[in-house]
Amino acid sequence: MEDLLSANARAVLEVLRASKSHPTAQEVYDEVRHVRRGIGIATVYRILRQLAEQDMIKVWGSGSGSARYDACTHQHDHAFCTECGTLLDVPVAIELSLEALAEAARATSIEMSSYEVRIYGCCNSCQERRKV
Ligand SMILES: [Zn+2]
Ligand SMILES: [Zn+2]
């Protein structure tokens, strides 16, 4: 499938894969325009939407300005900094029993396809900033 992507789409995908911070469309654009001169932000938005439709990337959050993009599509959890908005991958597995998940899904009448745990708080660099 990747062979069918345009050079612009491949560049966008590469920026996402190289990033650990789940960039916004604006941040992807700021990176990708170094390698693809002349690419416009509207093109970046369109490519991100297409990659998401093809399940090659994941979108976290909604609203065009606040959505964050993730090249890692397998199940993983996130920690979110409520001060600066950084979204981090949790590098360890969070243990959750399948029974508890199934019960939660039943309680909401949701036929579960996936789930995630999200940790909210203050990230390391914001903690450092608070100290000074
Ligand atoms: Zn932070
Ligand atoms: Zn992630």
Side-chain angles (χ1 to χ4, degrees):
M1 178 129 62
E2 244 167 87
D3 300 341
L4 299 173
L5 293 177
S6 68
N8 281 342
R10 267 201 306 275
V12 165
L13 199 57
E14 252 147 53
V15 165
L16 281 179
R17 285 185 176 154
S19 168
K20 293 263 168 287
S21 65
H22 307 82
T24 61
Q26 180 68 48
E27 286 162 351
V28 171
Y29 169 67
D30 287 341
E31 271 304 308
V32 83
R33 66 185 172 155
H34 294 305
V35 283
R36 301 293 303 168
R37 289 178 197 286
I39 193 171
I41 183 124
T43 306
V44 170
Y45 271 110
R46 183 173 46 77
I47 288 169
L48 288 169
R49 202 167 50 238
Q50 285 168 352
L51 290 174
E53 276 164 12
Q54 292 165 14
D55 288 325
M56 295 179 74
I57 61 169
K58 270 187 178 282
V59 189
W60 300 111
S62 54
S64 44
S66 60
R68 290 175 168 275
Y69 298 88
D70 196 343
C72 177
T73 53
H74 65 252
Q75 144 86 64
H76 64 287
D77 297 313
H78 292 98
F80 179 75
C81 176
T82 51
E83 294 202 11
C84 68
T86 290
L87 190 63
L88 301 163
D89 287 334
V90 175
V92 294
I94 299 173
E95 295 295 339
L96 264 177
S97 80
L98 279 179
E99 295 88 83
L101 282 169
E103 199 182 314
R106 261 198 308 278
T108 48
S109 305
I110 287 274
E111 198 178 305
M112 185 169 64
S113 55
S114 68
Y115 70 93
E116 78 152 333
V117 178
R118 175 105 26 135
I119 296 168
Y120 292 88
C122 183
C123 79
N124 205 263
S125 31
C126 288
Q127 290 168 41
E128 290 298 316
R129 246 196 312 278
R130 276 180 180 176
K131 284 181 200 151
V132 288

